[in-house]
Amino acid sequence: MKNLSILYHRFSGSIQTSMVCSVLHNTRNGFSTLREDPQLDELMEFLNNLNNFEKLGVPKDAGTDSEGGFDLGRMRRLMGLLGNPQSRFKTVHIAGTKGKGSTAAFLSSILRAEGYSVGCYTSPHIQTIRERITLGRWGEPVSAKALNHHFKRRREVLERAVKLEIGCLSHFEVFTAIAFSLFAEENTEIAVVEAGLGGARDATNVISGSDVAVSIITTVGEEHLDALGGSLESIAVAKSGVVKTGCAVRHWANSSCPIMVLVIGGPFIPSIECILRRKASSMSSPVVSASDPGNRSALRGFCEVNGIPRQLCDIVLQIEKDFDLSIELLGVKLRMLGAHQLQNAVTATCAALCLNKQGWSLSSGSVRAGLESAFLQGRSQILSSEEANLLGVPGATILLDGAHTKESARALANTLQMTFPKAKMVLVVAMANDKDHLGFARELLSVGDLDAVFSTEVDIAGAKSRMTSASLLKSAWLNASREMNMKVLDFKVADSEDQSLQAAGIMESRSILLAEGSLLACLRAGLKILNERTGQQPGIIIVTGSLHIVSAVLGYLHS
C-alpha cells in the first residue's frame, strides 16, 4: 500500500473553505477571533439574545423523550407561525454520535452530482454560521446577503414566537427554523438535515413522517451522556427518535405508500442494533445496514490528485435482506481520509440506493462523483506549506482534525497509523469541559511514535464557559500516561519559547513531553521538537480535541 508518509511532504493545495467572515474583533493567545459579516449584525444580535446551549452546555436529560427533555411543541408552534415550510420538501434526517456531518456531506454531494437542488443543514460551524446552511446545485453556504434578507422578512414572526414562548426558544431552534424556511423559499427538492442532539427531542425532529424519505443513524457512542439519559442504551433510544412511520417491506414498490427507510451505519454492538431495529419495526420502517454482510467495501491505498491526498477505496454493496440493493464502485478516490470516512461513505451510498428505490434518479456515476468531491473542513485536513508559513511553523506538516470523543480519537489514531506509519508525531490539543478527556487521551497515546502532547485553550462557541484549562487538560494526559506506564516529561511552554526547550534537556530526552501553553507557542515548540528529534524521519503536528481549535487555526490564516 502506498501511504501518505511518502506523499504528504509534497502537498501544496490550498485550504478548501467557503467565503469566511470578514471583521476581526478579538485576539486571544495570538490567534484572531473572526466575527460574522457585518450584514448579519441584526441576525447575530437576535440569536445571541437566545439561549445558546453550545456555549452554555446542554442541560441534563435535554435530549431524551421525557419531561426533562427539550419541548418539541414550541418548535412545532414556531414552524406553524412560519407556515410549516419543512413540509414543502423531502428530507433525509441524520442522527448519530459521530459521522453525521461527513455522511451529510457525502450524500448532499451525491444528490448535487445528479443535478438536484439540495439543502443541507449541519452543525456546528467552523468559521461562519453560514456554513450550517448550504443551498442549490453547487453546495455553497448561504450568502450573508440572502440570509440577512430572509431574516428581515421573518423577523416579526420570530419575535412574536419568542414572546409567545416566554423567551424559551433557543438559538438552535430559531436558526433551524430559518434554515427550513430558506429551503422552502429556494425551492429545494430535497434536504439533508443533521440532528443537533440525540433525535427524539431535537429541534430538527419537527419534520413529519410523510416528509422524511430516509432516516440515518450513523453511530451510537457515549457522548452527551447526561443529556441523553446516562447510558448507551438511552442514547440509542434518543437517536432512534428520528425514525418515522413507514410502510411494510412488502409495499416497498408501491409508490402510493409513504416509504420511510432507516439506514444504520455502525457497526453496532448487538444490543444497540436491536434497539434501533425494534424501533424501526414498530414504525413499519424497513432497515438497511451499511454493515450488512454483503458489504465488501475496502480501503486499497493512497494516491494524490492535483496535489491533494486521497484514499483509494472499493465500495461494493450487495444487500439482500428484505429487499435488493446493490452497487459496485472500484477505485473511488475519497478526499476524506480514514477507515471511518469509508464507513461514512458507505452509509451515504446506502441512503442513495434507498432514494433511488423511491424514484430519485441517482446513477452510479453520480454516486462516485459525489463521494469523490465531498470534503469537510477540520476532518483529517492537511494544511499547505503556505499556510504553515503563515502560522510561523515553516516546513511543518500540520493536520487538523476536530475529534473530541474517545470514539473519534480512536478513529483519528487509526487514520494516523494507517496513513503516516513512519512519522513522528506531536499533538496540540484543546477541549470542551464536558468531554471525556481521559478516554480521549488513552486512545491517542496509543499512536506509534508520539513525541509530545501540548495542551492549550480556545474559546468554545465563542465563550470561555465550556473551555477546559490547559493545566487541567494536561493533568488528564498525565493520568492516562501513568495508567499506560509511559515515561513523560511535564513542562510549561513559554510564549518566548526560544530559550526553554534546550535548557530543560527536552530535546535529548526520549520521554513523551506533556506541556501546556498558548496555541501559537505550542505549534512552534512542536516544530522545534520534531526538527530536533526526527532527523531524516518525517514528522507531523496534529491539532485536535475540538472543532473550535480547528476554527482558531483557520481563523488565524484569514486574519
Side-chain angles (χ1 to χ4, degrees):
M1 177 184 289
K2 188 177 183 182
N3 65 64
L4 286 183
S5 64
I6 300 171
L7 298 173
Y8 73 93
H9 71 281
R10 292 189 281 113
F11 176 64
S12 59
S14 63
I15 188 170
Q16 300 298 306
T17 182
S18 60
M19 291 181 64
V20 297
C21 354
S22 59
V23 183
L24 302 176
H25 73 107
N26 187 29
T27 300
R28 176 180 172 82
N29 292 335
F31 278 72
S32 301
T33 303
L34 293 169
R35 59 168 285 185
E36 294 289 348
D37 189 299
Q39 291 185 81
L40 298 180
D41 282 351
E42 288 184 49
L43 170 62
M44 297 313 298
E45 181 182 8
F46 184 88
L47 293 174
N48 289 337
N49 284 324
L50 306 173
N51 288 328
N52 185 345
F53 296 110
E54 290 177 29
K55 288 184 179 181
L56 302 173
V58 184
K60 183 177 172 60
D61 292 332
T64 61
D65 197 7
S66 67
E67 288 187 7
F70 285 135
D71 179 9
L72 201 55
R74 67 176 177 242
M75 187 67 186
R76 293 193 181 101
R77 291 188 289 273
L78 169 59
M79 300 311 296
L81 289 174
L82 290 168
N84 288 312
Q86 75 279 9
S87 65
R88 289 165 55 187
F89 48 82
K90 286 292 184 181
T91 297
V92 176
H93 200 187
I94 306 177
T97 303
K98 301 303 301 176
K100 298 188 297 293
S102 296
T103 302
F106 280 126
L107 184 56
S108 298
S109 187
I110 290 169
L111 288 161
R112 288 195 300 269
E114 189 65 45
Y116 290 109
S117 178
V118 183
C120 186
Y121 182 61
T122 59
S123 60
H125 59 272
I126 298 288
Q127 292 182 271
T128 166
I129 198 168
R130 296 186 294 106
E131 296 167 19
R132 300 187 182 208
I133 302 174
T134 61
L135 295 163
R137 289 181 168 82
W138 306 108
E140 293 295 325
V142 60
S143 69
K145 181 179 179 180
L147 184 54
N148 175 60
H149 180 66
H150 192 81
F151 167 69
K152 284 187 172 182
R153 291 175 56 208
R154 302 295 186 277
R155 179 165 189 159
E156 185 179 337
V157 174
L158 295 173
E159 287 176 337
R160 194 187 335 150
V162 170
K163 186 176 181 180
L164 288 171
E165 302 298 338
I166 321 174
C168 290
L169 279 169
S170 70
H171 182 294
F172 185 78
E173 287 168 332
V174 169
F175 200 69
T176 299
I178 290 171
F180 290 168
S181 180
L182 257 171
F183 290 161
E185 186 176 79
E186 294 295 321
N187 297 316
T188 294
E189 294 173 270
I190 186 167
V192 180
V193 175
E194 176 188 349
L197 178 77
R201 292 294 184 97
D202 187 72
T204 61
N205 207 31
V206 73
I207 307 161
S208 68
S210 60
D211 297 319
V212 176
V214 177
S215 288
I216 300 173
I217 299 176
T218 55
T219 58
V220 173
E222 294 179 347
E223 187 178 18
H224 301 301
L225 270 173
D226 287 344
L228 295 175
S231 70
L232 203 60
E233 289 74 21
S234 67
I235 291 173
V237 169
K239 294 187 186 304
S240 71
V242 300
V243 182
K244 302 294 194 299
T245 301
C247 61
V249 173
R250 65 179 178 273
H251 295 308
W252 177 265
N254 182 356
S255 60
S256 65
C257 179
I259 301 168
M260 206 301 298
V261 188
L262 173 63
V263 173
I264 56 175
F268 302 96
I269 60 175
S271 61
I272 297 304
E273 183 163 339
C274 181
I275 289 171
L276 304 181
R277 287 186 176 275
R278 189 163 59 237
K279 177 61 180 286
S281 177
S282 73
M283 308 296 277
S284 297
S285 177
V287 178
V288 172
S289 173
S291 301
D292 187 275
N295 172 11
R296 293 184 289 110
S297 302
L299 175 57
R300 297 299 184 194
F302 296 90
C303 65
E304 201 175 79
V305 178
N306 297 325
I308 299 174
R310 299 201 179 217
Q311 60 182 14
L312 281 169
C313 305
D314 292 343
I315 296 178
V316 182
L317 306 180
Q318 184 64 58
I319 300 170
E320 297 176 344
K321 187 176 181 180
D322 295 336
F323 41 81
D324 180 53
L325 297 173
S326 64
I327 194 169
E328 182 176 299
L329 301 171
L330 305 180
V332 178
K333 299 170 183 176
L334 298 181
R335 289 187 62 185
M336 293 199 277
L337 307 179
H340 62 296
Q341 293 294 6
L342 172 57
Q343 181 67 13
N344 293 331
V346 170
T347 302
T349 301
C350 286
L353 294 178
C354 292
L355 289 171
N356 207 46
K357 277 280 188 181
Q358 295 180 32
W360 297 86
S361 177
L362 291 166
S363 67
S364 58
S366 292
V367 175
R368 176 188 291 273
L371 294 174
E372 292 188 337
S373 62
F375 176 78
L376 278 180
Q377 292 185 96
R379 278 74 166 183
S380 297
Q381 176 182 349
I382 302 171
L383 297 186
S384 69
S385 56
E386 291 83 358
E387 289 161 341
N389 289 339
L390 285 173
L391 293 171
V393 281
T397 296
I398 302 173
L399 182 142
L400 308 180
D401 193 278
H404 55 272
T405 68
K406 65 181 180 181
E407 292 85 4
S408 57
R410 186 179 309 131
L412 174 58
N414 291 338
T415 300
L416 291 170
Q417 289 169 334
M418 180 174 61
T419 54
F420 304 103
K422 297 180 180 179
K424 296 182 76 65
M425 299 180 187
V426 165
L427 297 175
V428 179
V429 184
M431 299 186 76
N433 59 18
D434 55 354
K435 304 304 177 186
D436 181 1
H437 305 141
L438 193 62
F440 188 87
R442 288 191 193 108
E443 295 295 340
L444 284 172
L445 282 170
S446 67
V447 172
D449 210 345
L450 185 60
D451 271 298
V453 179
F454 292 96
S455 303
T456 190
E457 300 170 0
V458 296
D459 292 348
I460 305 297
K464 298 176 179 58
S465 56
R466 288 182 60 217
M467 178 183 73
T468 302
S469 69
S471 58
L472 188 62
L473 193 55
K474 184 175 70 170
S475 294
W477 286 80
L478 280 167
N479 291 335
S481 62
R482 290 185 185 120
E483 286 180 9
M484 300 170 73
N485 295 315
M486 291 181 164
K487 294 175 66 176
V488 298
L489 283 173
D490 185 351
F491 190 70
K492 181 161 183 170
V493 179
D495 285 333
S496 56
E497 74 280 357
D498 291 343
Q499 80 292 343
S500 53
L501 297 177
Q502 279 295 358
I506 287 170
M507 297 305 188
E508 291 74 27
S509 172
R510 304 317 300 167
S511 301
I512 296 175
L513 170 66
L514 298 183
E516 61 181 282
S518 71
L519 181 48
L520 194 57
C522 288
L523 286 171
R524 290 173 177 170
L527 179 61
K528 276 178 169 288
I529 288 173
L530 287 176
N531 285 343
E532 290 292 330
R533 287 188 173 183
T534 56
Q536 297 302 310
Q537 192 175 350
I540 182 170
I541 299 172
I542 301 105
V543 179
T544 189
S546 169
L547 285 171
H548 301 286
I549 190 172
V550 171
S551 177
V553 172
L554 296 179
Y556 183 84
L557 294 174
H558 291 275
S559 63

